Amino acid sequence: MATESRKNNAIGAVLVIGGGISGVQAALDLATSGFKTYLVEYSPTVGGKMAQLDKTFPTNDCSTCILAPKLGDLARHPDIHLLTMCEVIRVSGQVGNFSVSLLKRPRFVDLERCTACGTCASKCPKKTVDTYNQGLSERKAIYLPYPQAVPQKYVIDASQCLYFTKGKCRVCEKVCPAQAISFSQQPEVLELQVGAIIAAPGFAPFDPLSASDTYGYGKFANVITSLQFERILSASGPYQGELRRPSDGKPPEQIAFIQCVGSRDLLCGRGYCSAVCCMAAVKEAVVAHEHLTEGVATTIFFMDIRAQGKGYEQYVAAAKQQYDVKCLFGKVAAVEELDNCRLRLHHTNEHGQHSYHDFDLVILSVGMGLSPQADRLAAVLGLPLENNGFCRTSLSAPTATTREGILACGAFLGPRDIADSVLSAGAAACQASAHLGAQRYSLTEQRSYPEERHVSGSELRVGVFVCRCGFNIAQNVDVAEVASYARSLASVIHAEETLFACAADSCDNMVAIIVQRNLNRVVVASCTPRTHAPLFRETIRQAGLNDAYLEMANIREQCSWVHQQNPEVATTKAKALVRMAVARVSRASPLHVESVVVQPRALVIGGGLAGMRACLAVAEQGYQCFLVEKTQQLGGSLRHLRHTLEGEDPARVLRTSISKIKRHPLIKTYLGAEIRSVHGQVGDFHTTIVQQAPSGGKTQVLRHGAIVVATGAREFKPDGLFFYGEDPRVVTQLELESLIAENHSLLQRVGAVVMLQCVGSRTEERPYCSRLCCNEAVKNALLLKEKYPGVEVCILHRDIRTYGLREEYYQRARELGVLFSRYQEDNPPVVRLLHDRYGAHIVVEVIEPLLGSVLSLRPDLLVLSTAIVPPTTNEDLASILKIPLDADGFFLEAHAKLRPADFASEGIFLCGMAHYPKPIDEAILQAEAAALRTVSILAREKIPAGREVAQVDESRCQSCLTCLRVCPFQVPIIGNSGKATINAVACQGCGVCVAECPAAAIKMESCSDSQLLETLGALYS
């Protein structure tokens, strides 16, 4: 009762500290879920290190294209209050009611008046190092932090400004047309009252200058960091996207990447793995080849290639095959500069042989660590840090700090990539939301739009906005020529090119032009509408237009990317796509949505750890949840775990979760149940389940507003491989874990154990890395050494992927004498049974790299680290829910970076090993992120639906039932009139019925015959 009272009296606002991708995502998730949110950032703008990246992996998306829509949403959201140049200096109170003091430093530019025209910077006489471009270029003392900065406002660097350093100048003040310069600004203290706090201070890259000698960095011009290389590759970077080496501006022909600089290095105090550096290097090598399509060679010097994420292993394989990216194992001992500014790397390979290699450019893949602001923040918040410097949390509560009501996410928890940062942000927001209870929507504002203009029948006035997308489009498409061509088209009143159409200032500019020039149709020629259409629809709604009057031409994927070798063809095709888009939008009709009354209940499919945690997270926020599990018991794969690498007890986690599930009054569990059908749409689904019972199957229909898929995965059983199933001395890692936990008599006689990695994964049949296997091998090796100190353990591997903070356990295993031996993919270990008078012996033969000869091992126990595979029932469920699977049989998320817990289908979410193999803490993070996305739907009374739907012309309908047979969503019915009727709310807008109707009685306003004919006519005009 005390807890509920505190929730009811809580303040419905949350403070998010840190404006990197995790802070931005947490703020968006909270605001979408009904909470007033303050986003506090130390620097002048949000975006963090992601704003400095060129592209992401494995999708190869432009980082700014991924970030910009989120920043645009952030800037526009009425419930998000952005406070830049602020630092938390004091926090008091408790969960539900924190008092927070912020120190706001002066910008010396009035945010309300500044129009970001750039006049001040053009006239400022003082130049200084541009930190955004990592010191590779200069900026002025008054500057815009980066092209898509939010807020899009200038700032004065007082440490460089001549007025503050020498008492003279003030040129910017004299030339500013908006009179926005304000030298009189002073620091001020702001006071906030919030119910919960999320700490997301981000990370800082390792500075090689802090080490005694790191490969000549700071001494040799052509030795740079990976983040500097990102800026060189970027269109907004120091060389406008041209790949040049700093010493002489010439394109490099030979590029080397040195891994693990400032990570996996005890000498510099960073023994952990930074988790992203290997893939960043592979991505940068690929992008280098895209920039210099001929005459460039790339080599990565590595200790282990840690491609443990979804799609990462395939990305590395493609880099090697398509771009001839070379990966050389071994340590680079030193770098020396030659007379022509080329660099010589001294290298020791896996055979212990020393050699040297010459390169034009050397990239140091630097690790990540917490920034100085993070240290200060932890002290202010009273949060203890681990020895590695990251925030202390637990495996079973990965975002909960030691202080209730204060959550952590992003790199504050440890090194992680973009997708994992986004998931941790959602999980932290979920926990903050749960703390605040009944205060949802108590402090929020209703988003408003201008009154919609009725433009049907009016003279066509089309505006075309052609995006350069930095280097992504402009590299191969002549954007200026496309914009000029657009101006020549009939009905086009305005056409312009823009650097980044999705940037907040570009969207604001688009709104202004639509209003000023009275445009009534808009074409945006940029990248994929899959990620950007919602942003631009929102933009033209802000200008008073129905969002159906927007058309997008995808000139990035469909022109620049597919015609990289032929810019002329890419430009010609871009013109054609723009011409077709103008024709199509000219025939557009306004679309209006209907409202669906939300059923405030959720359905979670799968009763493993992720499913249970998602269910609990939804229920703890006050919403009923149905948990459907196909077996007769909860727990999934967690039931088979006896230990974790971190030393926590999985059985306790399991017992606690099951106990909470059974006791929670808002959770209804269905064991032994299967999904038979799902109808409806986001906000109102009808799911039929069949629950097995002693007396026979029981069919029930559940009505709910959202769905979470958490069907889990299982350990691959390698029957027929390496004598598994034939010899009891050949076991899997899970089976070994049980033997250790039970102190099995078999282990009493074991003197030597060999563990064989990548059994059934990283193969042609299963090309993915199973993410868990290396950690499981290290965990069990440590357990063996602890319980049986005399046992010899040898792990045969291709790479050891103890990514992130798990690296310390790999180090501990080596210290305890566990042997690690690398084998080559094309020369794997051979296992055979040797029979002699003493019986059958297991013999493992492998080529030992250092010795250069075959090593013959005779273990008493052979342990196979086998793949994690999806359940075969995934295909049936995917068909029922109309959701996609990837090539490996796992469910496919909407976007690998932007929406890792979403499906493309609205109202359906994803978590746990149904998405991809992952350890306990990562499964919980995704489960809670999915739960918050679910709650953001359940918390609303009504939601819009039915924007792009099919409509029946009853005068033409022949009641032939074709539409009923072909609709994959079973939406059409025969109404009282005897004619087909389509529920606009339930229709998914797929268009199958439109195409199949023999009487042409069904149409879609968003894809009418007139639009298609006009578009095709424009193609051939």
Side-chain angles (χ1 to χ4, degrees):
M1 292 297 294
T3 300
E4 287 303 315
S5 175
R6 186 171 62 189
K7 285 185 178 182
N8 292 332
N9 295 326
I11 298 169
V14 181
L15 174 68
V16 178
I17 307 169
I21 183 61
S22 55
V24 168
Q25 185 65 52
L28 288 169
D29 284 343
L30 286 163
T32 304
S33 301
F35 296 97
K36 184 176 183 178
T37 306
Y38 299 98
L39 179 58
V40 172
E41 168 57 33
Y42 183 82
S43 70
T45 183
V46 293
K49 290 295 180 288
M50 188 173 172
Q52 294 176 280
L53 302 182
D54 179 52
K55 288 188 176 181
T56 65
F57 58 85
T59 58
N60 219 31
D61 279 325
C62 170
S63 293
T64 49
C65 287
I66 290 179
L67 185 62
K70 289 186 179 292
L71 296 185
D73 290 345
L74 184 84
R76 289 194 184 96
H77 206 293
D79 298 319
I80 298 178
H81 302 265
L82 179 58
L83 301 169
T84 56
M85 300 194 71
C86 286
E87 182 179 6
V88 177
I89 57 174
R90 188 165 45 255
V91 174
S92 60
Q94 61 180 2
V95 57
N97 189 2
F98 287 106
S99 296
V100 181
S101 299
L102 307 176
L103 176 64
K104 182 174 178 60
R105 306 189 314 281
R107 181 184 285 264
F108 304 112
V109 174
D110 190 320
L111 286 173
E112 299 298 324
R113 292 189 173 188
C114 178
T115 61
C117 66
T119 303
C120 54
S122 68
K123 300 297 182 183
C124 176
K126 175 62 176 176
K127 293 182 178 179
T128 187
V129 171
D130 186 353
T131 53
Y132 173 68
N133 279 329
Q134 292 291 299
L136 294 171
S137 62
E138 294 182 325
R139 61 161 169 80
K140 298 296 185 67
I142 185 168
Y143 65 104
L144 186 67
Y146 65 96
Q148 294 118 309
V150 174
Q152 189 78 7
K153 308 293 181 181
Y154 278 72
V155 60
I156 292 177
D157 183 347
S159 69
Q160 299 296 323
C161 175
L162 294 177
Y163 172 69
F164 288 108
T165 58
K166 297 185 177 180
K168 57 183 182 181
C169 190
R170 298 181 73 143
V171 168
C172 55
E173 185 180 43
K174 299 170 187 175
V175 301
C176 177
Q179 298 182 334
I181 308 302
S182 178
F183 286 107
S184 62
Q185 287 185 359
Q186 297 293 321
E188 56 180 316
V189 175
L190 306 179
E191 302 290 344
L192 301 176
Q193 296 293 127
V194 297
I197 298 172
I198 295 177
F203 74 93
F206 176 72
D207 180 6
L209 292 177
S210 65
S212 57
D213 179 28
T214 309
Y215 305 119
Y217 180 78
K219 179 180 178 183
F220 306 145
N222 293 327
V223 176
I224 61 176
T225 68
S226 48
L227 201 52
Q228 287 177 314
F229 193 53
E230 292 278 351
R231 298 309 310 143
I232 289 175
L233 295 171
S234 174
S236 61
Y239 310 139
Q240 292 75 52
E242 292 186 20
L243 178 47
R244 308 186 217 155
R245 63 179 194 166
S247 64
D248 53 15
K250 293 181 180 179
E253 295 181 1
Q254 300 278 341
I255 302 175
F257 296 84
I258 302 176
Q259 299 308 104
C260 301
V261 178
S263 64
R264 301 184 70 182
D265 187 349
L266 296 174
L267 293 179
C268 69
R270 296 190 177 198
Y272 55 84
C273 163
S274 287
V276 300
C277 313
C278 289
M279 290 305 302
V282 175
K283 175 207 71 175
E284 289 171 356
V286 168
V287 176
H289 283 273
E290 292 175 347
H291 279 249
L292 300 173
T293 54
E294 295 181 1
V296 63
T298 54
T299 303
I300 299 173
F301 294 88
F302 72 98
M303 291 196 290
D304 295 282
I305 291 293
R306 291 188 166 168
Q308 71 277 353
K310 187 173 185 177
Y312 291 6
E313 182 70 23
Q314 295 92 319
Y315 187 87
V316 173
K320 292 177 179 179
Q321 294 168 8
Q322 297 176 24
Y323 298 98
D324 196 27
V325 175
K326 291 183 173 58
C327 296
L328 296 183
F329 174 79
K331 184 70 174 175
V332 175
V335 175
E336 63 174 314
E337 189 175 54
L338 306 178
D339 292 340
N340 55 2
C341 288
R342 279 171 62 81
L343 299 156
R344 177 162 291 175
L345 274 64
H346 294 263
H347 170 240
T348 303
N349 67 17
E350 59 190 327
H351 305 293
Q353 300 167 337
H354 301 281
S355 60
Y356 64 85
H357 309 264
D358 294 348
F359 295 92
D360 299 304
L361 188 63
V362 171
I363 319 298
L364 307 182
S365 293
V366 292
M368 65 169 70
L370 287 185
S371 64
Q373 290 78 29
D375 284 334
R376 293 198 296 269
L377 177 63
V380 170
L381 296 178
L383 303 179
L385 302 178
E386 299 287 3
N387 293 335
N388 51 38
F390 295 97
C391 186
R392 180 177 300 169
T393 60
S394 68
L395 190 72
S396 56
T399 62
T401 69
T402 56
R403 189 171 178 182
E404 189 181 13
I406 299 182
L407 293 308
C409 67
F412 198 28
L413 299 173
R416 61 198 60 233
D417 68 7
I418 295 170
D420 290 334
S421 293
V422 167
L423 291 174
S424 70
C430 180
Q431 290 299 312
S433 173
H435 282 309
L436 302 187
Q439 299 308 311
R440 194 184 309 274
Y441 293 115
S442 62
L443 298 176
T444 55
E445 301 176 21
Q446 184 70 33
R447 185 177 293 203
S448 60
Y449 299 96
E451 184 177 352
E452 187 175 300
R453 289 191 283 141
H454 299 286
V455 299
S456 295
S458 302
E459 175 192 3
L460 290 173
R461 298 180 63 84
V462 182
V464 179
F465 299 86
V466 187
C467 182
R468 298 179 63 85
C469 196
F471 191 75
N472 283 289
I473 293 174
Q475 176 188 17
N476 299 307
V477 175
D478 189 332
V479 174
E481 186 178 331
V482 174
S484 176
Y485 173 76
R487 294 185 195 101
S488 70
L489 298 174
S491 306
V492 173
I493 305 300
H494 176 88
E496 68 174 44
E497 59 176 300
T498 180
L499 181 62
F500 292 104
C502 57
D505 64 316
S506 297
C507 291
D508 292 341
N509 176 63
M510 193 181 298
V511 171
I513 289 174
I514 292 171
V515 173
Q516 291 167 9
R517 307 216 58 180
N518 194 30
L519 303 179
N520 53 29
R521 304 288 194 281
V522 175
V523 171
V524 178
S526 60
C527 53
T528 172
R530 183 169 67 92
T531 55
H532 283 58
L535 172 67
F536 293 123
R537 285 174 183 160
E538 175 77 11
T539 298
I540 71 167
R541 288 184 69 190
Q542 294 287 348
L545 289 179
N546 186 283
D547 60 16
Y549 293 128
L550 166 75
E551 189 65 32
M552 292 188 66
N554 186 350
I555 63 172
R556 185 183 71 172
E557 283 86 342
Q558 296 176 8
C559 297
S560 179
W561 283 7
V562 297
H563 300 295
Q564 291 184 22
Q565 311 304 321
N566 199 331
E568 185 176 345
V569 170
T571 301
T572 301
K573 187 176 179 182
K575 291 178 183 178
L577 289 177
V578 169
R579 183 172 68 247
M580 294 164 67
V582 169
R584 181 182 173 89
V585 80
S586 297
R587 292 284 185 170
S589 301
L591 299 176
H592 298 284
V593 299
E594 298 186 26
S595 294
V596 175
V597 176
V598 175
Q599 302 300 316
R601 295 172 291 278
L603 170 69
V604 176
I605 304 173
L609 175 64
M612 289 191 292
R613 291 300 290 262
C615 194
L616 284 167
V618 170
E620 286 169 357
Q621 300 201 43
Y623 299 96
Q624 187 176 2
C625 196
F626 304 122
L627 179 58
V628 174
E629 165 57 38
K630 67 180 180 180
T631 69
Q632 293 294 337
Q633 55 185 351
L634 298 173
S637 297
L638 188 62
R639 304 190 73 88
H640 305 297
L641 292 182
R642 305 299 186 91
H643 305 275
T644 69
L645 188 61
E646 297 79 5
E648 292 198 24
D649 182 7
R652 183 187 59 80
V653 175
L654 177 65
R655 289 193 303 271
T656 301
S657 299
I658 292 176
S659 175
K660 287 182 177 180
I661 290 285
K662 290 181 176 179
R663 288 187 288 107
H664 205 292
L666 294 178
I667 296 176
K668 173 66 174 176
T669 303
Y670 298 89
L671 299 178
E674 294 184 6
I675 306 293
R676 289 298 170 88
S677 66
V678 177
H679 301 286
Q681 66 289 316
V682 55
D684 190 8
F685 290 102
H686 296 72
T687 298
T688 301
I689 67 170
V690 175
Q691 187 175 18
Q692 300 301 320
S695 58
K698 179 182 179 183
T699 301
Q700 299 181 65
V701 177
L702 308 177
R703 195 174 181 187
H704 49 94
I707 300 171
V708 178
V709 175
T711 51
R714 59 183 176 83
E715 184 188 51
F716 170 63
K717 296 300 183 183
D719 294 320
L721 291 176
F722 305 112
F723 302 101
Y724 178 80
E726 300 173 28
D727 193 309
R729 296 168 298 176
V730 181
V731 298
T732 66
Q733 290 289 356
L734 271 182
E735 290 166 349
L736 173 61
E737 192 167 336
S738 295
L739 294 175
I740 296 173
E742 297 163 3
N743 200 23
H744 197 279
S745 58
L746 174 65
L747 297 180
Q748 307 296 330
R749 304 186 299 272
V750 168
V753 175
V754 168
M755 297 181 179
L756 180 55
Q757 301 303 106
C758 299
V759 175
S761 62
R762 300 179 72 187
T763 64
E764 186 175 344
E765 183 181 1
R766 297 180 195 86
Y768 58 90
C769 165
S770 289
R771 197 173 177 97
L772 297 173
C773 318
C774 288
N775 296 321
E776 288 295 298
V778 169
K779 175 187 72 177
N780 285 337
L782 288 171
L783 289 171
L784 283 171
K785 283 291 189 181
E786 178 185 334
K787 286 198 170 186
Y788 311 98
V791 71
E792 295 179 356
V793 181
C794 179
I795 300 179
L796 305 178
H797 64 94
R798 287 169 56 187
D799 299 283
I800 289 295
R801 293 180 171 174
T802 47
Y803 59 94
L805 303 182
R806 296 169 177 84
E807 177 71 9
E808 68 173 277
Y809 301 100
Y810 176 32
Q811 294 171 357
R812 186 183 303 171
R814 288 185 294 174
E815 291 168 358
L816 290 176
V818 176
L819 300 178
F820 292 84
S821 180
R822 182 183 304 274
Y823 67 86
Q824 297 298 322
E825 177 184 4
D826 56 358
N827 207 345
V830 174
V831 179
R832 55 193 179 88
L833 286 179
L834 177 65
H835 297 270
D836 60 20
R837 60 179 178 171
Y838 299 107
H841 306 281
I842 299 173
V843 177
V844 181
E845 294 177 343
V846 62
I847 295 178
E848 212 295 317
L850 195 59
L851 298 177
S853 60
V854 175
L855 186 66
S856 182
L857 305 172
R858 291 196 178 190
D860 301 303
L861 191 67
L862 176 61
V863 186
L864 307 180
S865 295
T866 61
I868 304 297
V869 295
T872 55
T873 52
N874 275 4
E875 290 189 12
D876 294 334
L877 184 61
S879 177
I880 291 171
L881 292 175
K882 310 298 187 297
I883 52 178
L885 296 173
D886 64 19
D888 301 316
F890 296 100
F891 286 100
L892 183 63
E893 69 282 359
H895 191 280
K897 302 296 185 186
L898 280 174
R899 301 170 63 195
D902 294 59
F903 284 105
S905 301
E906 287 190 81
I908 308 179
F909 306 100
L910 172 66
C911 65
M913 292 204 294
H915 169 248
Y916 190 66
K918 58 197 62 183
I920 289 174
D921 55 338
E922 294 178 19
I924 291 172
L925 289 175
Q926 192 173 22
E928 292 179 347
L932 186 68
R933 303 283 292 129
T934 300
V935 169
S936 69
I937 292 173
L938 305 185
R940 300 157 69 181
E941 292 183 3
K942 296 181 179 181
I943 58 173
R947 180 181 177 275
E948 299 178 347
V949 298
Q951 299 173 341
V952 178
D953 181 351
E954 290 194 359
S955 67
R956 305 186 69 170
C957 177
Q958 303 298 310
S959 304
C960 66
L961 307 184
T962 298
C963 57
L964 278 69
R965 288 194 295 268
V966 301
C967 177
F969 302 98
Q970 293 84 47
V971 172
I973 61 172
I974 299 298
N976 295 331
S977 64
K979 305 292 185 178
T981 300
I982 293 176
N983 180 351
V985 170
C987 178
Q988 301 297 303
C990 68
V992 172
C993 60
V994 180
E996 294 290 338
C997 178
I1002 310 177
K1003 64 178 182 177
M1004 291 182 65
E1005 288 295 334
S1006 59
C1007 191
S1008 64
D1009 290 349
S1010 63
Q1011 279 185 302
L1012 292 174
L1013 292 172
E1014 194 77 19
T1015 304
L1016 288 172
L1019 172 62
Y1020 296 106
S1021 64

